[in-house]
Every structure is written in structure tokens, then in C-alpha cells.
Amino acid sequence: ARAGMRLLFSALYKTGSSAPGKDGPVLLSSAAELSSFGYFQRSSVKEMMLFFSRTLSKNATAGQRTSVKEQGYLCHMYVSPAGVTAIAFADAEYPARVAFGYLSKLCEDFIQVTSGNFSASTDDNCMDGAFQSSHSKLLTQFQDPAQADQLTRIMAELEETKLVLHETIEAALERGQKIDDLVTKSNDLSGSSKMFFKTAKKQNQCCSYM
């Protein structure tokens, strides 16, 4: 049985950029808390989250807040006006307001730590040298949403912000794009992760590996 209320993964992308050989923007930094998964599942779970987050962040518009349901989980995206797109995967029970508070704080801390200077590199996690420890620490702090809410006294305006909720990842993509096709073509996913996705989907529990 899985305990609800977890933040599992978060990533920061350079808004509007294009990562060579990847279908989406440059990944600046990522962090994960996957101890609730079996040891041998973790790399595939992480690859799937990276794939979904990069796919979703292709269509980023500044100021946008979007949530996408993915088999009992929610993928939240916030596009900061500072040129960073932040994405987090959380249990469906994890309060969306706190998740967006986390993403805002993540962007704010990133800009503060890096002074808004992006690496010219297009390699994945190219800003982890500067930001990885802060990123992981924040992800850990926000594991308990009640405590996180107190920590940040999350802005009331988040409640009022229009949040776009998509029932499926395909609803969030450009019209006509099929997730199966994107999985097949993806360079973010190893062969074993692609097989993992197909097997789970066939059993109608795509992300129940999570």
C-alpha cells in the first residue's frame, strides 16, 4: 500500500529552449524521492517522469499553471516569468495549492542561487552543480504538505489563479499527438523503460508502477 501525500519528482527546464536529440526543452536541474518504489523500478519510474515532464513543458506559456492526471498521480507545471518551467509529480492526494507553492519557491530559489544566469550548456541537469543540493533539500522539506504550508505561508493568490486541469496527458499535448508514439520515439527512455510503460499500460495501470 502506498502512503499518499508524496512529492515524487521535480524538474526545472529552460523555457522555450530545445535540447539536442530530445523532444523538448533543456533540463536544468532535477530531484527525486523514490524510496517508496522497488529498487529495480526506480530508474524506469524516474525516466518516465522525466519523459512526461519534458513532453508537457514543450507547450509552456509564461505565467501558466497546469495539472495533468496520470493514472492516480498529478503532474503539476508552473511557467515562471523568469524563463524557467518547473514541473512536479505528486500523489493525487497531495494538495495542488501546496504543489504550486513548491514550484514557485523552486523557481524563486533557483533564480536567487544562480542570479538568473543560465548555463550555455544543453546537457541534462546542466545547472545541478549550482542547484542540486538546494533542489533536493526543498523537495524533502515539502514531503509533508501541512508543514510546507506553514513554512512558506503559501500565497493566497494561488487559490485564485486559474488552474488548467487536463484529465490525460494527451489532452495537454498538441492535437493529434499520441503518447504511445512519443514514448516509442523518445531518447529520454531506455528500451527497458519503454517496455515497462507498454506492459503497465496493457494491464491498464500505466502508472500504477508508481
Side-chain angles (χ1 to χ4, degrees):
R2 63 188 177 88
M5 300 277 200
R6 291 166 309 171
L7 263 184
L8 302 163
F9 173 85
S10 57
L12 289 170
Y13 291 95
K14 187 175 178 181
T15 310
S17 64
S18 187
K22 304 285 172 74
D23 189 18
V26 174
L27 175 66
L28 299 169
S29 174
S30 61
E33 194 348 277
L34 302 176
S35 58
S36 50
F37 301 102
Y39 180 78
F40 295 107
Q41 289 182 316
R42 286 176 202 165
S43 65
S44 285
V45 169
K46 193 173 179 182
E47 282 185 11
M48 290 307 306
M49 288 178 178
L50 178 64
F51 163 73
F52 278 118
S53 63
R54 193 178 330 244
T55 301
L56 193 59
S57 60
K58 280 194 301 186
N59 305 329
T61 316
Q64 176 187 12
R65 286 189 174 88
T66 310
S67 294
V68 178
K69 286 184 181 177
E70 189 50 45
Q71 299 284 334
Y73 291 81
L74 279 168
C75 179
H76 302 286
M77 175 171 77
Y78 166 58
V79 189
S80 161
V84 188
T85 298
I87 294 201
F89 267 89
D91 284 307
E93 299 84 355
Y94 192 96
R97 182 174 53 84
V98 183
F100 282 108
Y102 168 71
L103 294 177
S104 293
K105 180 97 174 78
L106 193 60
C107 292
E108 197 181 295
D109 287 5
F110 178 78
I111 297 303
Q112 205 170 356
V113 168
T114 62
S115 307
N117 297 319
F118 294 92
S119 165
S121 169
T122 53
D123 293 339
D124 276 356
N125 294 311
C126 57
M127 297 295 287
D128 263 354
F131 194 62
Q132 175 60 48
S133 63
S134 305
H135 195 160
S136 296
K137 191 176 166 189
L138 201 62
L139 185 71
T140 303
Q141 275 183 326
F142 270 79
Q143 287 304 317
D144 176 357
Q147 192 189 2
D149 217 348
Q150 286 173 339
L151 272 175
T152 52
R153 290 198 284 284
I154 289 151
M155 308 76 79
E157 75 222 27
L158 284 184
E159 292 275 34
E160 292 148 31
T161 306
K162 188 168 181 240
L163 172 65
V164 181
L165 174 64
H166 295 290
E167 290 296 322
T168 64
I169 187 97
E170 285 181 349
L173 301 175
E174 286 169 31
R175 192 164 295 176
Q177 285 192 309
K178 291 276 177 276
I179 198 68
D180 290 11
D181 298 343
L182 294 175
V183 165
T184 305
K185 289 185 211 154
S186 174
N187 290 333
D188 276 327
L189 297 171
S190 61
S192 59
S193 290
K194 289 178 186 182
M195 189 63 71
F196 187 67
F197 174 79
K198 283 177 186 162
T199 307
K201 195 169 184 206
K202 208 175 279 179
Q203 294 165 351
N204 197 26
Q205 51 183 148
C206 161
C207 293
S208 60
Y209 54 78
M210 293 189 203

